[in-house]
Amino acid sequence: MKKASFKLSIIVIALIGFIALGCKNQNNESSANGKALAFKNDLTEKAFLHYQEIKTALTKGNVDAAKIGGKKLSETISNNYMDVSNLSKEIATEDDIEKQKVSFSKLTEAIQPIFESNISEGALYKQFCPMALNNEGGYWFSTSETIENPYFEGKMDTCGSVKEVLKQSFLK
C-alpha cells in the first residue's frame, strides 16, 4: 500500500512539473525566428509597451487601464507622430469602451509603420477579427501567434487570425 501511494505521489509531482514547464514555455513564446521582439530605439520600445498596455486593458474590458495606457503612449510619442498621439489621446479621454476600441483599431493602422521600420529582432504578428466593431473588423498587434482578441472582453478572445508577420527590414 505504501509503495502504491509513493508511486502515485511521484506521478503527481512529475505531472505538476510538466504542466508548469508547459505554461512557462507558452508564456515565453518567442517569435517566428526564435528571437524575442526587439526594436532599434527606446522610443519605439516604449511606444510598443504602452500599445500593449492598451491592448491588454481592452482585452479585459478595463476602460480605466486603457485610458492610462493611452495617456502614456501619447506622452511617449508626443509630437513625433501626431496621428498616433491624437489617437492615443482619444483613448485616454474616452469613457466608452466601444469608442476606445474604434480608436484602438485606427491606432493600430497608424502605428504600424513605426513598429515595422524599427524591428531589430523577432517578429510582430498583425492579427484580425472580422467580427470586431460591428462586423467591420479590427486589427491588433501581438508578440505571438496566439490570438487574444481585444475587441470582445474575453467573450470571444480567440476569434481572429494572423494576417501579417512583421520582421526586421533590411532596406533601411
Side-chain angles (χ1 to χ4, degrees):
M1 185 71 162
K2 287 184 179 181
K3 285 184 178 182
S5 180
F6 179 72
K7 286 181 181 179
L8 182 58
S9 296
I10 297 287
I11 291 171
V12 169
I13 290 170
L15 184 58
I16 291 171
F18 286 124
I19 290 170
L21 284 174
C23 290
K24 180 180 178 188
N25 289 338
Q26 185 176 13
N27 291 332
N28 289 329
E29 285 186 65
S30 58
S31 58
N33 61 4
K35 295 182 179 180
L37 179 65
F39 293 99
K40 295 175 184 174
N41 58 60
D42 286 341
L43 176 68
T44 307
E45 184 75 35
K46 288 177 185 173
F48 182 71
L49 290 175
H50 300 316
Y51 173 89
Q52 288 291 93
E53 187 175 343
I54 297 167
K55 184 190 93 165
T56 300
L58 293 176
T59 301
K60 294 177 180 179
N62 190 331
V63 172
D64 292 331
K67 290 171 90 168
I68 292 167
K71 182 178 182 200
K72 288 178 184 177
L73 180 55
S74 177
E75 290 170 352
T76 298
I77 291 292
S78 63
N79 295 326
N80 293 309
Y81 302 95
M82 288 307 295
D83 52 344
V84 172
S85 182
N86 290 336
L87 290 164
S88 301
K89 285 177 188 173
E90 286 179 19
I91 294 168
T93 58
E94 185 56 63
D95 292 321
D96 181 338
I97 194 164
E98 296 305 318
K99 290 179 181 176
Q100 283 181 322
K101 292 175 192 174
V102 170
S103 296
F104 178 74
S105 179
K106 293 175 185 177
L107 173 65
T108 297
E109 292 301 313
I111 207 165
Q112 179 170 342
I114 299 167
F115 292 160
E116 193 168 26
S117 64
N118 287 295
I119 294 174
S120 62
E121 285 188 351
L124 187 59
Y125 298 90
K126 185 175 184 183
Q127 301 174 339
F128 179 75
C129 175
M131 296 173 64
L133 306 173
N134 295 316
N135 294 317
E136 290 181 24
Y139 287 94
W140 69 94
F141 291 110
S142 178
T143 57
S144 77
E145 291 180 271
T146 303
I147 302 297
E148 293 179 11
N149 189 327
Y151 293 103
F152 290 105
E153 298 104 50
K155 295 176 191 124
M156 296 177 54
D157 56 347
T158 60
C159 179
S161 61
V162 174
K163 292 297 184 183
E164 188 176 356
V165 180
L166 308 179
K167 295 182 181 181
Q168 180 180 9
S169 173
F170 293 103
L171 300 176
K172 294 195 176 211

